[in-house]
């Protein structure tokens, strides 16, 4: 019986060994077939190559090189080259914007020094500061007010959302013309008639197109045309906040005011940061409204980009003296302002990863 168990064990071991040898041979055959299908051992191949470098591979590589060169050249032509050329132009005096570099006369920092000694340019910087601060507070405050109301479940939400956003679908030229010709008109304008009907004679007598009120009229109309855009951004941010948080706060006895300051406003931090950044870029590049509200250069409505336009492209009857180098310097200053504002925003309003 004992010898029978030994023979049985030896037989089992031989069977297992046979199975392992068969499995190893099958794997070896599959590996060889796989290597052969990948071209292993063919002429012009190395033992470490996976694929054969044929004509199709050459064509694909050439296409990739072409696309890469095209993208790099496009980036250089679309961003880097204009930036470098504008910077160089700001350090020179040019007879015309299309003048070749051989006609340039090096001026150093004279263009920049002349800008900050120019009372009109200094006034444009002050105007853009007021537009950014006062206009930003009004625009974002009103937009946030409308966004909170719409997010609260008011009836006719889609209608009111579309109505508030409607001014953004109208071009700035048409919108500014509407304000100048039909709302601010001092004889039969909408504001004059409205204030007269309400008995507010002091407000009805205001001439919004006069030099003393023109800037504020421009700012009011610009705020009107910008509220809808930021309202949609803020509304999308509010709707992204889970309702469970509000329901928990309601159970704890929090009223609407507390829920706004303790839940909505803190969780909108990143959205508000984005809105401030977008508003800053738009304010610094303020041009169309200033152009429409001014027939000539006016220190009340002048902005840096409008000043740049008059310096580079202005007509002789506009009262401006063409100076291409100074215009390029304005472009550099505007770019630096945007960059500085962006860095300050990142420092003051640091982006936080919110978890609900």
């Amino acid at each position: 019986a004992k010898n029978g168990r030994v023979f049985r064990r030896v037989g089992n071991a031989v069977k297992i060994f046979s199975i392992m040898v068969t499995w190893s041979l099958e794997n070896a055959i599959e590996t060889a077939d796989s290597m052969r299908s990948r071209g292993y051992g063919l002429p012009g191949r190395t033992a470490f190559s996976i694929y054969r470098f044929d004509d199709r591979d050459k064509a694909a590589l050439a296409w990739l090189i072409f696309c890469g060169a095209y993208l790099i050249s496009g980036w250089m032509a679309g961003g880097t080259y204009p930036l470098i050329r504008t910077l160089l132009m700001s350090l020179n005096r040019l007879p015309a914007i299309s003048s070749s570099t051989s006609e340039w006369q090096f001026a150093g920092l004279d263009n920049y020094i002349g800008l900050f000694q120019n009372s009109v340019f200094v006034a444009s910087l002050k105007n853009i500061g007021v537009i950014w601060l006062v206009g930003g507070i009004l625009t974002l405050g009103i937009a946030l007010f409308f966004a909170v109301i719409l997010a609260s479940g008011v009836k006719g939400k889609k209608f009111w959302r579309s109505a508030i956003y409607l001014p953004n679908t109208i071009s700035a030229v048409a919108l500014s013309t509407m304000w100048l010709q039909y709302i601010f008109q001092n004889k039969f304008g909408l504001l004059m008639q409205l204030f007269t009907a309400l008995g507010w004679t002091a407000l009805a007598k205001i001439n919004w197109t006069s030099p003393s009120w023109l800037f504020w009229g421009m700012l009011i109309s610009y705020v009107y045309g910008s509220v809808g855009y930021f309202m949609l951004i803020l509304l999308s941010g509010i709707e992204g906040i889970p309702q469970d948080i509000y329901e928990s706060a309601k159970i704890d006895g929090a009223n609407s005011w507390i829920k706004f300051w303790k839940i909505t406003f803190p969780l909108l931090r990143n959205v508000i940061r984005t809105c401030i950044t977008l508003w800053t870029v738009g304010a610094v590049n303020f041009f169309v409204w200033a152009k429409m509200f001014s027939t000539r250069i006016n220190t009340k409505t002048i902005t840096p980009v409008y000043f740049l336009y008059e310096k580079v492209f202005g007509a002789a009857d506009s009262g401006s003296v063409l100076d291409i180098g100074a215009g390029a310097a304005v472009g550099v200053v505007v770019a630096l302002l945007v960059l500085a504002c962006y860095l300050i925003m990142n420092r003051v309003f640091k982006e936080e990863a919110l978890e609900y």
Side-chain angles (χ1 to χ4, degrees):
K2 185 176 180 180
N3 292 334
R5 287 197 299 270
V6 171
F7 289 131
R8 191 163 49 249
R9 289 178 181 176
V10 172
N12 290 335
V14 171
K15 186 183 296 183
I16 293 172
F17 179 74
S18 174
I19 293 172
M20 294 181 64
V21 170
T22 303
W23 175 78
S24 298
L25 291 174
E26 289 177 352
N27 281 339
I29 294 172
E30 291 178 0
T31 302
D33 292 339
S34 175
M35 294 176 69
R36 188 181 299 110
S37 64
R38 289 181 291 170
Y40 182 84
L42 296 176
R45 294 289 307 277
T46 64
F48 303 99
S49 298
I50 299 179
Y51 299 105
R52 187 167 195 167
F53 191 77
D54 56 14
D55 293 338
R56 291 180 300 175
D57 299 321
K58 293 177 183 179
L61 180 60
W63 176 249
L64 290 176
I65 293 174
F66 171 77
C67 291
Y70 179 79
L71 292 175
I72 293 174
S73 61
W75 175 74
M76 291 289 291
T80 305
Y81 173 73
L83 181 62
I84 295 175
R85 184 177 176 85
T86 302
L87 180 61
L88 294 177
M89 290 171 64
S90 69
L91 300 174
N92 290 271
R93 294 186 180 90
L94 290 74
I97 192 172
S98 58
S99 301
S100 62
T101 54
S102 60
E103 300 178 75
W104 295 9
Q105 295 180 358
F106 183 72
L109 298 177
D110 290 348
N111 289 327
Y112 293 94
I113 296 173
L115 280 181
F116 289 98
Q117 291 177 346
N118 189 318
S119 59
V120 178
F121 180 72
V122 174
S124 73
L125 293 178
K126 293 179 181 179
N127 290 340
I128 212 67
V130 176
I131 291 173
W132 179 82
L133 180 60
V134 179
I137 293 174
L138 290 175
T139 301
L140 298 183
I142 297 172
L144 182 60
F145 174 74
F146 284 145
V148 171
I149 291 179
L150 292 177
S152 64
V154 65
K155 291 184 178 180
K157 175 182 176 180
K158 293 182 179 180
F159 168 78
W160 293 114
R161 181 177 58 190
S162 301
I164 296 171
Y165 184 75
L166 182 62
N168 290 89
T169 63
I170 306 173
S171 70
V173 175
L175 202 59
S176 57
T177 302
M178 178 193 73
W179 279 89
L180 286 169
Q181 300 297 329
Y182 301 103
I183 298 179
F184 288 149
Q185 220 283 338
N186 59 346
K187 292 184 179 180
F188 52 82
L190 178 62
L191 281 183
M192 189 275 294
Q193 295 184 8
L194 176 63
F195 292 147
T196 301
L198 295 174
W200 299 345
T201 55
L203 293 175
K205 293 180 180 179
I206 295 177
N207 184 2
W208 293 95
T209 57
S210 64
S212 57
W213 287 98
L214 188 61
F215 174 82
W216 297 108
M218 179 183 69
L219 183 59
I220 290 172
S221 58
Y222 181 60
V223 169
Y224 170 81
S226 303
V227 165
Y229 174 73
F230 291 99
M231 180 271 297
L232 284 184
I233 298 176
L234 293 168
L235 179 60
S236 64
I238 295 175
E239 291 177 342
I241 301 175
Q243 292 298 316
D244 297 344
I245 301 177
Y246 291 107
E247 293 175 0
S248 299
K250 186 177 181 179
I251 293 174
D252 293 337
N255 56 30
S256 299
W257 187 254
I258 294 177
K259 285 191 288 186
F260 173 77
W261 286 110
K262 298 296 183 180
I263 299 175
T264 305
F265 193 77
L267 294 180
L268 283 178
R269 179 185 178 89
N270 292 338
V271 179
I272 293 175
R273 173 177 175 270
T274 301
C275 289
I276 294 176
T277 302
L278 293 173
W279 173 260
T280 301
V281 174
V284 172
N285 290 283
F286 195 91
F287 171 70
V288 176
W289 292 86
K291 180 66 175 175
M292 293 299 298
F293 273 75
S294 305
T295 54
R296 295 171 63 90
I297 288 185
N298 186 351
T299 56
K300 299 294 184 180
T301 56
I302 191 72
T303 59
V305 177
Y306 183 29
F307 183 82
L308 182 155
Y309 172 82
E310 291 294 338
K311 280 294 182 183
V312 179
F313 305 105
D317 59 353
S318 65
S320 62
V321 179
L322 297 184
D323 190 342
I324 311 302
V330 175
V332 174
V333 171
V334 169
L336 292 177
L337 280 176
V338 173
L339 179 61
C341 292
Y342 176 76
L343 295 176
I344 292 173
M345 292 299 166
N346 285 340
R347 177 71 64 175
V348 177
F349 299 95
K350 294 183 178 179
E351 187 173 1
E352 298 179 355
L354 300 176
E355 297 182 1
Y356 301 124

